[in-house]
Amino acid sequence: VQLVESGGGLVQAGGSLRLTCALSGLSFDDYAVAWFRQAPGKEREGVSCIQGSDGSTPYTDAVKGRFTISADAAKEAVYLQMNSLKPEDTSIYYCAEAAGTYCYGMDARRYDFWGQGTQVSVSS
């Protein structure tokens, strides 16, 4: 499985970005793919996940109501639509595929395959 993120950039507070995670080798019949982020000096945190088996899409509290995760099996991609961005959303964003078919509470240790990351910077 290979994952490649794109769509990051610099945006003003209140703006929007859509991140794309292009996947190859993933079975879209049974999967769990998550977005994580890591800011300088901080631990990596799970942002959202999409679980193919039942469509579950958990979010971390900090982004609920602002971010939306979705998947397109035909395009082999998972997206993260980010609206109402805040300076505290500034991070490198990574997509990752879980070792199994569940989101596992977005515990990074349960994810085997990772992309290289894309930088999101939000100015105030």
Side-chain angles (χ1 to χ4, degrees), residues 9-90:
L10 174 64
V11 64
Q12 289 188 331
S16 298
L17 286 172
R18 188 176 82 154
L19 304 183
T20 298
C21 177
L23 303 110
S24 61
L26 175 68
S27 169
F28 270 84
D29 293 329
D30 206 1
Y31 68 94
V33 174
W35 286 95
F36 293 82
R37 64 185 181 185
Q38 187 167 21
K42 294 188 177 181
E43 292 187 357
R44 188 169 298 190
E45 67 167 339
V47 175
S48 183
C49 178
I50 186 163
Q51 189 168 284
S53 59
D54 62 2
S56 296
T57 54
Y59 295 88
T60 190
D61 287 347
V63 307
K64 284 180 180 177
R66 300 189 297 123
F67 290 12
T68 304
I69 192 170
S70 62
D72 186 331
K75 295 185 178 180
E76 296 185 300
V78 171
Y79 305 100
L80 186 68
Q81 178 66 44
M82 306 187 296
N83 298 328
S84 302
L85 282 160
K86 304 176 181 180
E88 51 264 44
D89 294 317
T90 296

Side-chain angles (χ1 to χ4, degrees), residues 98-115:
T101 58
Y102 301 99
C103 288
Y104 301 109
M106 292 184 281
D107 179 348
R109 296 169 296 180
R110 305 298 295 268
Y111 288 75
D112 279 351
F113 300 99
W114 293 78

